[in-house]
C-alpha cells in the first residue's frame, strides 16, 4: 500500500535515530551529483534499481543476464547507463560489466556517531560501445 505525506521520521522522532531526518536530507546530494556528472550527455539510461530475489541470487546468473540485457539495450540505443550503488561488492560487479566509477561519495550527518553513520556511494557510468 502506498502512502503519501511526510516521511515517518518527521512525525515519530522517538521511533527513529535522532539524525534520521538529516540522513534523508543528505541523500539529496546524490541527484545533484548525477546532474553534474551527466552534464552534456543528451540521452542516457538511469538504472535506479535492479535486483534478483534472494532465493535466486547466487550462481544462477540471473543478475548477469539482467545487466547484459540492459547493456545490449543501451548499446542498441547508443546511450550511456548511469547508476549509483552503495557496496564495494556491487561496484566490482558493475566494473566487470564495463562500468567506471566516476566518483565516490561519503554521506554523513554532523553529530551522527552511530556505527553506520557514513554511507559510501559509488557513482558509475558505462558508455555505449556503439
Amino acid at each position: 500500500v502506498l502512502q503519501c505525506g511526510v516521511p515517518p521520521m518527521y512525525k515519530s522522532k522517538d521511533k527513529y535515530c535522532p539524525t534520521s531526518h538529516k540522513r534523508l536530507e543528505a541523500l539529496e546530494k546524490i541527484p545533484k551529483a548525477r546532474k553534474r556528472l551527466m552534464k552534456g550527455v543528451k540521452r542516457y539510461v538511469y538504472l535506479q534499481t535492479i535486483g534478483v530475489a534472494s532465493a535466486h541470487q547466487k550462481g544462477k546468473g540471473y543478475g548477469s543476464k539482467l545487466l547484459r540485457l540492459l547493456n545490449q539495450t543501451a548499446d542498441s540505443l547508443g546511450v550511456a547507463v548511469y547508476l549509483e550503488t552503495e557496496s564495494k561488492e556491487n561496484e566490482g560487479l558493475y566494473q566487470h560489466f564495463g562500468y567506471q566509477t566516476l566518483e565516490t561519495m561519503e554521506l554523513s550527518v554532523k553529530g551522527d556517531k552511530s556505527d553506520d553513520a557514513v554511507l559510501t556511494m559509488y557513482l558509475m557510468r558505462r558508455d555505449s560501445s556503439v
Side-chain angles (χ1 to χ4, degrees), residues 68-94:
R68 275 195 291 278
L69 178 60
L70 173 67
N71 290 346
Q72 288 170 358
T73 302
D75 287 346
S76 73
L77 296 170
V79 298
V81 180
Y82 175 88
L83 62 86
E84 298 119 3
T85 188
E86 70 250 10
S87 81
K88 191 74 174 161
E89 181 181 355
N90 285 349
E91 180 193 30
L93 171 72
Y94 291 121

Side-chain angles (χ1 to χ4, degrees), residues 4-129:
C4 295
V6 177
M9 72 275 301
Y10 288 105
K11 291 190 241 179
S12 306
K13 292 183 180 182
D14 56 317
K15 294 181 182 179
Y16 297 90
C17 76
T19 58
S20 60
H21 65 287
K22 291 180 182 177
R23 285 182 174 194
L24 186 63
E25 291 166 2
L27 294 175
E28 293 174 5
K29 294 176 183 176
I30 297 171
K32 290 176 183 175
R34 177 176 60 245
K35 186 175 181 179
R36 177 177 44 80
L37 292 170
M38 298 306 285
K39 186 176 183 176
V41 179
K42 291 184 181 185
R43 294 179 32 198
Y44 64 93
V45 173
Y46 172 45
L47 177 59
Q48 183 180 20
T49 306
I50 190 170
V52 178
S54 58
H56 303 287
Q57 279 184 350
K58 296 290 179 183
K60 296 185 181 174
Y62 295 132
S64 295
K65 288 177 184 177
L66 284 169
L67 281 173
R68 275 195 291 278
L69 178 60
L70 173 67
N71 290 346
Q72 288 170 358
T73 302
D75 287 346
S76 73
L77 296 170
V79 298
V81 180
Y82 175 88
L83 62 86
E84 298 119 3
T85 188
E86 70 250 10
S87 81
K88 191 74 174 161
E89 181 181 355
N90 285 349
E91 180 193 30
L93 171 72
Y94 291 121
Q95 286 173 338
H96 176 76
F97 284 93
Y99 291 78
Q100 296 180 340
T101 304
L102 303 175
E103 186 174 315
T104 302
M105 295 179 75
E106 291 195 352
L107 302 173
S108 61
V109 173
K110 187 176 180 180
D112 189 344
K113 304 291 184 199
S114 60
D115 292 340
D116 62 350
V118 177
L119 173 64
T120 302
M121 295 296 297
Y122 304 89
L123 314 181
M124 306 184 76
R125 174 170 143 182
R126 177 187 176 275
D127 290 319
S128 173
S129 65

